[in-house]
């Protein structure tokens, strides 16, 4: 490969990487160098440079400042040692570890608002979903799809949740039905007092539109649940 004098940054990085004595031939390193050279910009100011030492199969050599250099052979794996530091770079010998990329978050979808509607009231009061108080430790599936303007294609709902008439202190956890119960709750409450909260909660991943509800109440007690829906995602 040919290194042009006006690509100072490329030469500096190449000089730093091959400054240490090579131990074993490793074609992975030469491919990494080639990729780096292809990405290096051509905007560096042309100056005199000096490749002090480099190693190929069979030994190393020195070069004189300036001019065009042609390197042939296989560059060996550099010894891991103290970092090589220059004005614009710091390079350590040894293999570069592969970077672990975090997975991209799943898109939540598009939000659609609906007229606020009481979808759940376990006390009754004419709500579409009733069913009586939640009993501590017993999960319940709430079919929100098809209720209060939430379509079957909804993947999450925006809602207000209220706990009332609790027989003891506790909490209610809401989660996508069919999934494991998360370690965080949607609302906590003292005995007898009403408490409210709001949020966006995912529905069942299997497309059934169900929301799981699990109450934990001291003394194996019970609590009534109210859910008002104000929008959904699909």
């Amino acid at each position: 490969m040919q290194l042009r004098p006006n690509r100072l940054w490329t030469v500096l990085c190449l000089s730093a990487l091959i400054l240490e004595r090579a131990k074993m031939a490793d074609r992975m390193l030469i491919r990494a160098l080639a990729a780096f050279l292809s990405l290096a910009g051509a905007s560096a100011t042309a100056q005199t440079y000096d490749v002090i030492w480099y190693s190929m199969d069979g030994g190393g050599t020195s070069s004189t400042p300036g001019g065009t250099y042609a390197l042939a052979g296989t560059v060996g794996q550099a010894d891991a040692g103290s970092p090589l530091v220059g004005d614009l770079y710091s390079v350590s010998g040894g293999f570069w570890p592969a970077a672990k990329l975090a997975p991209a978050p799943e898109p939540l979808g598009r939000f659609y608002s609906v007229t606020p509607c009481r979808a759940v009231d376990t006390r009754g009061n004419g709500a579409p979903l009733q069913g009586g108080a939640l009993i501590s430790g017993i999960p319940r599936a709430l079919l929100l799809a098809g209720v209060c303007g939430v379509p079957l294609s909804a993947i999450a709902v925006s809602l207000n949740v209220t706990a009332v008439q609790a027989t003891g202190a506790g909490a209610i956890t809401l989660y996508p039905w069919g999934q494991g119960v998360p370690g965080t709750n949607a609302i906590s409450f003292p005995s007898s007092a009403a408490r409210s909260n709001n949020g966006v909660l995912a529905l069942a991943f299997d497309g059934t539109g169900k929301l799981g509800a699990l109450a934990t109440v001291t003394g194996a007690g019970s609590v009534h649940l109210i859910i008002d829906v104000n929008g959904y995602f699909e």
Side-chain angles (χ1 to χ4, degrees):
M1 56 184 174
Q2 298 293 323
L3 303 180
R4 298 182 179 179
N6 65 339
R7 297 198 176 184
L8 175 59
W9 175 246
T10 299
V11 173
L12 285 174
C13 291
L14 178 61
S15 299
L17 288 173
I18 61 180
L19 184 62
E20 296 285 342
R21 183 178 58 187
K23 285 184 176 179
M24 299 175 64
D26 193 316
R27 296 188 181 277
M28 291 177 62
L29 183 56
I30 193 64
R31 284 196 290 267
L33 286 172
F36 183 83
L37 290 174
S38 67
L39 293 174
S43 59
T45 303
Q47 296 181 14
T48 300
Y49 55 86
D50 184 12
V51 179
I52 299 174
W53 194 93
Y54 63 87
S55 176
M56 312 303 294
D57 287 347
T61 186
S62 298
S63 64
T64 56
T68 299
Y69 294 87
L71 305 181
T74 302
V75 176
Q77 163 64 19
D79 292 336
S82 300
L84 308 175
V85 180
D87 291 339
L88 299 175
Y89 64 88
S90 176
V91 180
S92 297
F95 287 110
W96 295 316
K100 184 177 180 181
L101 300 178
E106 292 292 331
L108 187 57
R110 184 174 180 181
F111 178 73
Y112 298 87
S113 62
V114 298
T115 301
C117 173
R118 180 148 298 179
V120 178
D121 189 339
T122 58
R123 302 169 301 176
N125 299 323
L129 302 177
Q130 302 176 17
L134 298 178
I135 306 301
S136 181
I138 301 178
R140 182 179 300 180
L142 304 171
L143 182 58
L144 294 185
V147 173
C148 289
V150 178
L152 296 176
S153 56
I155 59 175
V157 289
S158 174
L159 49 78
N160 296 317
V161 55
T162 304
V164 296
Q165 299 177 11
T167 62
I172 298 175
T173 301
L174 301 176
Y175 59 98
W177 181 254
Q179 303 302 306
V181 179
T184 56
N185 60 65
I187 188 170
S188 57
F189 48 83
S191 177
S192 302
R195 289 291 185 271
S196 296
N197 200 358
N198 59 73
V200 174
L201 297 172
L203 299 177
F205 295 169
D206 60 4
T208 56
K210 295 179 180 179
L211 183 69
L214 178 65
T216 303
V217 185
T218 57
S222 64
V223 61
H224 280 286
L225 173 66
I226 300 170
I227 294 179
D228 297 307
V229 176
N230 54 59
Y232 63 90
F233 291 84
E234 67 172 2

